[in-house]
């Protein structure tokens, strides 16, 4: 099973393809150097296979590569960051 995470700015979401099939997405609202993650969804066919974690990891790695920050409003993204403190530095300080 191969995972590929891509940003789809037209739809304001990161998408994950599993063997070239759309398996899920992490929606965001863009701000000034900050992405507010609002919702993460994985297709039922791919539940329990690590697809959600791969999606969030890929999205956060891309945000890091761009020099951006995040606001994890989505509970799934917030839980991922809590379980993976190596991404804590991406969380924007509350205003």
């Amino acid at each position: 099973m191969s995972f590929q995470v891509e940003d789809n700015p037209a739809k304001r979401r990161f998408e994950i393809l599993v063997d070239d099939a759309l398996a899920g997405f992490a929606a965001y609202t863009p701000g000034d150097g900050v992405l507010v993650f609002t919702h993460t969804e994985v297709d039922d066919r791919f539940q329990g296979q690590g697809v959600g974690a791969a999606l969030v990891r890929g999205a956060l790695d891309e945000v890091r590569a761009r020099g951006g920050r995040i606001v994890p409003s989505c509970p799934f993204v917030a839980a991922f960051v809590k379980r993976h403190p190596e991404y804590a530095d991406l969380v924007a300080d509350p205003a």
Side-chain angles (χ1 to χ4, degrees):
M1 183 178 332
S2 68
F3 298 148
Q4 181 177 349
V5 177
E6 301 174 341
D7 189 8
N8 184 339
K11 291 188 176 182
R12 294 183 174 182
R13 66 189 196 178
F14 282 90
E15 299 173 339
I16 188 164
L17 303 174
V18 175
D19 298 331
D20 296 323
L22 180 62
F25 64 88
Y28 61 79
T29 302
D32 186 23
V34 175
L35 294 183
V36 179
F37 282 92
T38 57
H39 178 71
T40 301
E41 192 170 307
V42 173
D43 187 280
D44 290 342
R45 298 177 296 150
F46 300 100
Q47 295 281 331
Q49 299 176 46
V51 173
L55 168 60
V56 174
R57 183 179 307 279
L60 296 183
D61 287 345
E62 180 63 26
V63 170
R64 184 185 306 280
R66 295 178 189 172
R69 306 291 298 271
I70 69 161
V71 175
S73 292
C74 166
F76 188 86
V77 175
F80 181 90
V81 172
K82 187 174 182 178
R83 283 191 317 271
H84 300 276
E86 65 271 25
Y87 291 103
D89 63 306
L90 293 177
V91 177
D93 294 327

